[in-house]
């Protein structure tokens, strides 16, 4: 496995609509796509992200990985098991949205308050090509919206409605982390 280079804002790959993955490419256990998925997971771990989308590692295809271990630093967020999603689609969004702080490995220094739907239905395939369909809510729903936006060429800035609290990481910690009732979230 190897750690991949993360594309930063300004790299056109982040603004492209990613291509659908041909599921037949998943079936070879030691195939190129399986190695790429392993590399995405290793990169997410190395960079400390909660999720990573393939365009963020310079490959414009519809794959995202997520994982979050609940810990004392973010006690209010629930854990997300290691998840690989191929060709994910979100639908049946909740009527309401919640504001939460997000950051991104491709905009590493910034934090912004982003409105996201509180629940949605995920349809996707796992790394073996098996279909997944489930209702998702809470932190996992937020992370999914963030990551799947990357597959549509969007970053969290595009979803913000109020830029007045957009912060560098250091100022976020100084001025907002303990003062804002919105749940803090860590993203990629
Ligand atoms: Ni991101």
């Amino acid at each position: 496995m190897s750690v991949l280079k993360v594309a930063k804002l300004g790299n056109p790959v982040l603004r492209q609509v990613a291509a659908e993955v041909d599921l037949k490419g998943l079936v070879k256990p030691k195939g190129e796509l399986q190695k790429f998925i392993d590399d995405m997971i290793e990169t997410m771990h190395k960079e400390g992200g909660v999720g990573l989308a393939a365009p963020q590692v310079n490959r414009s295809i519809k794959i995202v990985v997520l994982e979050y271990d609940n810990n004392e630093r973010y006690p209010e967020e629930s854990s997300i098991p290691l998840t690989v999603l191929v060709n994910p689609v979100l639908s049946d969004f909740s009527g309401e949205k919640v504001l939460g702080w997000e950051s991104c490995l491709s905009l590493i220094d910034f934090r912004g308050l982003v409105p996201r739907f509180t629940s949605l239905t995920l349809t996707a395939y796992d790394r073996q090509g098996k279909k997944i369909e489930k209702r998702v809510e809470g932190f996992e729903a937020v992370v999914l919206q963030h990551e799947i936006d990357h597959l549509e060429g969007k970053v969290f800035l595009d979803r913000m409605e109020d830029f007045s609290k957009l912060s560098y990481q250091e100022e976020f910690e100084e001025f907002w982390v303990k003062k804002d009732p919105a749940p803090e979230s860590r993203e990629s």
Side-chain angles (χ1 to χ4, degrees), residues 163-176:
F163 288 83
S164 65
K165 293 180 186 167
L166 181 65
S167 303
Y168 284 100
Q169 181 66 27
E170 197 177 325
E171 281 68 20
F172 167 75
E173 286 167 15
E174 182 178 352
F175 295 106
W176 298 112

Side-chain angles (χ1 to χ4, degrees), residues 66 78-81 83 134 136-145:
L66 341 164
S78 44
S79 297
I80 304 170
T83 305
K134 65 173 186 171
V136 182
E137 60 184 21
F139 185 51
E140 187 175 357
V142 171
V143 175
L144 281 173
Q145 289 168 83

Side-chain angles (χ1 to χ4, degrees), residues 56 104 146 150 188:
Q56 292 185 276
C104 180
H146 178 116
H150 280 302
S188 56

Side-chain angles (χ1 to χ4, degrees), residues 5 36 40 66-67 87 113 142 158-159 166 180 188:
K5 184 173 194 267
F36 175 67
M40 282 185 70
L66 341 164
E67 184 176 35
N87 297 340
L113 272 175
V142 171
D158 303 326
R159 298 295 190 188
L166 181 65
D180 199 292
S188 56

Side-chain angles (χ1 to χ4, degrees), residues 62-66 80-94 117-127 130-137 139-149 151:
K62 291 192 192 294
I63 299 180
V64 305
V65 295
L66 341 164
I80 304 170
L82 179 62
T83 305
V84 176
L85 300 173
V86 180
N87 297 340
V89 175
L90 303 180
S91 61
D92 299 323
F93 297 98
S94 58
F117 296 103
T118 55
S119 65
L120 48 83
T121 298
L122 166 69
T123 309
Y125 297 87
D126 69 12
R127 66 185 295 172
K130 190 173 156 224
K131 193 169 183 183
I132 300 164
E133 186 166 350
K134 65 173 186 171
R135 193 77 191 159
V136 182
E137 60 184 21
F139 185 51
E140 187 175 357
V142 171
V143 175
L144 281 173
Q145 289 168 83
H146 178 116
E147 297 309 330
I148 290 166
D149 270 356
L151 305 181

